[in-house]
Amino acid sequence: MVPEKQAEEAIVASSTNYGEAEHDGGGKREVGAQEEEDDHSIFSVKSILWHGGSAWDAWFSCASNQVAQVLLTLPYSFSQLGMLSGIVFQIFYGLVGSWTAYLISVLYIEYRARKEKENVSFKNHVIQWFEVLDGLLGPYWKAMGLAFNCTFLLFGSVIQLIACASNIYYINDRLDKRTWTYIFGACCATTVFIPSFHNYRIWSFLGLGMTTYTAWYMTIAAVVHGQVGGVTHSGPKKLVLYFTGATNILYTFGGHAVTVEIMHAMWKPQKFKYIYLLATLYVFTLTIPSATAVYWAFGDLLLNRSNALSLLPKSGFRDAAVILMLIHQFITFGFACTPLYFVWEKVIGMHDTKSICLRALARLPVVVPIWFLAIIFPFFGPINSAVGALLVSFTVYIIPALAHMLTYRTASARQNAAEKPPVFLPSWTAMYVVNAFVVGWVLVVGFGFGGWASMTNFVRQVDTFGLFARCYQCKSPTAPSPPAAHHR
């Protein structure tokens, strides 16, 4: 028993040490030295805008990353699900997503405590989710985590480009959406110059402010507009549409594929535990009122409009919402792409390079396939649902729950755990029950029914609009009247 007790104390001590040291680019610095440095640089613009690693920075990053273009597709999901199911699914998946984000944070702390006990240094190295899986469960889990996470983030970045083109079209329709995708692909490529999540302080703050404005604009504009004549609220009426809408909401609250990177950028990663839940509670104040109000006003018209802005009347307020969402989608593109940049840097041996310009040049090949895929599949809402069912279900729900169960399957692992069960669920058995429920529900409802429905809907969009669609769901040009038929 003595060796086990010593091992436990070593792990806890290691965990405490890295929690009390400030993380800066993967290294550690003494708190006293950092506080002295902060006293001299408290008014430094670079410090205020660039170097973020506090719990507040993490909260802004999580909340900002959760609500991006999905905010504009939730009314579309409500038209598929109906009002009651839409609200229930938002609350349910929001809580489930917060739970699995908590599990990811626990596994990160466990992995880092074990590695630092072995004197492993993370200077100039950003820990990622697949490395946590590798260190705790082995290479097969690493491969699975890497495949799902990278594919999800790839298509998450694709969705941001599609959304940019879709939104700007409502301000300037002189160019088609495909041309706008070319333009915004070049703009979003500039995210290669942002080194890590440590440098997203001002962007996260601005991004959340932008989505807050857009959400409340949508809510107020829909209420002021009132219900359109003859409005109907027939959802749900088809299983395909019902489960497509449900998986879009699954995707909405599955934005924690970058949780490990956000935690690693924190000075005290242990403070992350409940940050995602607090971010989700704030997100509810944006998503539920806006989706409810827009669906109440326009009803079944949303079934053919995956972007809610297309139905709201043109005004200066709407144009402001479009512009702010464009800027936020640029930020979210960076959020989704940065982990991919890290993986690519590690593959080509450039991850520890200190030159920002060299790293930016090395990252550019990651942007090209994203750009290309956005041009091939310009289907805004349907891609959200497909990504939610086929990728998000595993990446941020099933894999974290299974990984937690397997990591702590032995008595010694539970006894020496760097993080014990939370106060609201103090039993390991209860945690296993909750994890098993999450795996079963998401596997059957999210991946099974959701995968079938979303792929059916996606194929239907391809058949209707074709690949490389020039302008998906755009205004139809006024067709000339056909010549009168001559009867003999």
Side-chain angles (χ1 to χ4, degrees), residues 205-422:
F205 176 78
L206 291 175
L208 188 58
M210 293 166 186
T211 48
T212 299
Y213 169 87
T214 303
W216 285 108
Y217 155 73
M218 290 168 60
T219 304
I220 295 169
V223 171
V224 171
H225 180 278
Q227 292 185 312
V228 296
V231 65
T232 56
H233 300 86
S234 58
K237 62 180 182 179
K238 291 183 179 180
L239 280 177
V240 170
L241 295 179
Y242 187 83
F243 286 107
T244 299
T247 51
N248 187 38
I249 295 178
L250 177 84
Y251 172 78
T252 303
F253 296 98
H256 43 287
V258 296
T259 297
V260 171
E261 289 84 357
I262 292 174
M263 282 189 72
H264 193 77
M266 292 179 68
W267 299 323
K268 296 181 179 180
Q270 284 125 324
K271 289 187 175 182
F272 186 87
K273 294 179 194 175
Y274 306 116
I275 284 176
Y276 197 89
L277 174 62
L278 296 175
T280 299
L281 294 178
Y282 179 78
V283 167
F284 283 156
T285 69
L286 305 181
T287 57
I288 294 177
S290 60
T292 301
V294 175
Y295 178 53
W296 168 82
F298 297 101
D300 289 349
L301 290 177
L302 287 158
L303 287 170
N304 297 314
R305 285 292 182 272
S306 55
N307 189 330
L309 292 178
S310 64
L311 290 173
L312 292 170
K314 184 174 177 60
S315 68
F317 291 110
R318 193 191 76 163
D319 289 349
V322 171
I323 292 169
L324 291 178
M325 283 304 292
L326 285 172
I327 299 171
H328 184 257
Q329 281 153 355
F330 164 81
I331 297 167
T332 309
F333 182 92
F335 269 114
C337 258
T338 298
L340 294 176
Y341 295 152
F342 292 155
V343 172
W344 179 246
E345 287 170 359
K346 292 170 184 177
V347 169
I348 63 175
M350 293 284 287
H351 189 56
D352 58 352
T353 302
K354 294 182 179 179
S355 170
I356 293 179
C357 291
L358 281 177
R359 290 180 70 183
L361 189 62
R363 290 172 169 188
L364 280 176
V366 177
V367 179
V368 174
I370 294 170
W371 206 350
F372 188 61
L373 287 170
I375 295 166
I376 297 177
F377 303 111
F379 314 122
F380 191 21
I383 284 187
N384 279 0
S385 300
V387 169
L390 304 180
L391 299 173
V392 175
S393 58
F394 280 94
T395 302
V396 296
Y397 293 99
I398 294 173
I399 291 177
L402 284 176
H404 189 273
M405 294 168 73
L406 292 175
T407 298
Y408 298 109
R409 65 187 181 277
T410 64
S412 61
R414 294 191 293 272
Q415 182 182 357
N416 297 323
E419 285 286 332
K420 301 300 181 184

Side-chain angles (χ1 to χ4, degrees), residues 11 103-111 113-114 136-137 400-421 428-429 431-432 435:
I11 290 173
L103 297 180
I104 292 173
S105 72
V106 168
L107 293 173
Y108 168 86
I109 290 173
E110 182 68 37
Y111 168 78
R114 293 184 187 183
L136 297 177
L137 297 172
L402 284 176
H404 189 273
M405 294 168 73
L406 292 175
T407 298
Y408 298 109
R409 65 187 181 277
T410 64
S412 61
R414 294 191 293 272
Q415 182 182 357
N416 297 323
E419 285 286 332
K420 301 300 181 184
W428 285 102
T429 302
M431 291 194 73
Y432 266 74
N435 287 339

Side-chain angles (χ1 to χ4, degrees), residues 48-263:
I48 294 172
L49 303 183
W50 190 249
H51 291 300
S54 68
W56 278 106
D57 288 307
W59 183 84
F60 276 113
S61 293
C62 289
S64 178
N65 190 44
Q66 240 184 81
V67 282
Q69 91 297 331
V70 171
L71 184 70
L72 308 179
T73 65
L74 285 175
Y76 167 67
S77 298
F78 270 46
S79 71
Q80 298 169 320
L81 288 165
M83 187 81 78
L84 178 62
S85 290
I87 294 172
V88 169
F89 269 116
Q90 277 204 47
I91 295 172
F92 174 70
Y93 281 129
L95 296 177
V96 172
S98 298
W99 172 253
T100 54
Y102 169 79
L103 297 180
I104 292 173
S105 72
V106 168
L107 293 173
Y108 168 86
I109 290 173
E110 182 68 37
Y111 168 78
R112 182 146 182 183
R114 293 184 187 183
K115 288 298 180 183
E116 291 194 351
K117 182 191 170 188
E118 300 168 2
N119 295 319
V120 175
S121 172
F122 295 106
K123 186 174 179 60
N124 296 327
H125 182 92
V126 177
I127 298 174
Q128 294 188 265
W129 176 229
F130 69 90
E131 293 169 320
V132 173
L133 292 174
D134 184 29
L136 297 177
L137 297 172
Y140 291 109
W141 280 83
K142 172 186 176 181
M144 181 168 59
L146 187 62
F148 274 106
N149 218 41
C150 288
T151 309
F152 166 43
L153 292 170
L154 176 74
F155 278 97
S157 304
V158 169
I159 289 169
Q160 301 310 317
L161 280 188
I162 297 171
C164 285
S166 176
N167 288 342
I168 192 63
Y169 183 77
Y170 299 122
I171 291 180
N172 184 338
D173 58 5
R174 290 190 293 273
L175 298 178
D176 58 71
K177 291 182 182 179
R178 188 167 69 188
T179 302
W180 281 119
T181 303
Y182 292 140
I183 294 170
F184 279 99
C187 294
C188 289
T190 59
T191 58
V192 297
F193 289 99
I194 302 176
S196 72
F197 285 100
H198 199 62
N199 311 113
Y200 268 98
R201 165 173 281 182
I202 188 62
W203 296 115
S204 298
F205 176 78
L206 291 175
L208 188 58
M210 293 166 186
T211 48
T212 299
Y213 169 87
T214 303
W216 285 108
Y217 155 73
M218 290 168 60
T219 304
I220 295 169
V223 171
V224 171
H225 180 278
Q227 292 185 312
V228 296
V231 65
T232 56
H233 300 86
S234 58
K237 62 180 182 179
K238 291 183 179 180
L239 280 177
V240 170
L241 295 179
Y242 187 83
F243 286 107
T244 299
T247 51
N248 187 38
I249 295 178
L250 177 84
Y251 172 78
T252 303
F253 296 98
H256 43 287
V258 296
T259 297
V260 171
E261 289 84 357
I262 292 174
M263 282 189 72

Side-chain angles (χ1 to χ4, degrees), residues 438-459:
V438 170
V439 171
W441 176 276
V442 176
L443 190 62
V444 174
V445 177
F447 176 73
F449 289 108
W452 160 73
S454 60
M455 289 310 298
T456 300
N457 190 34
F458 184 79
V459 170

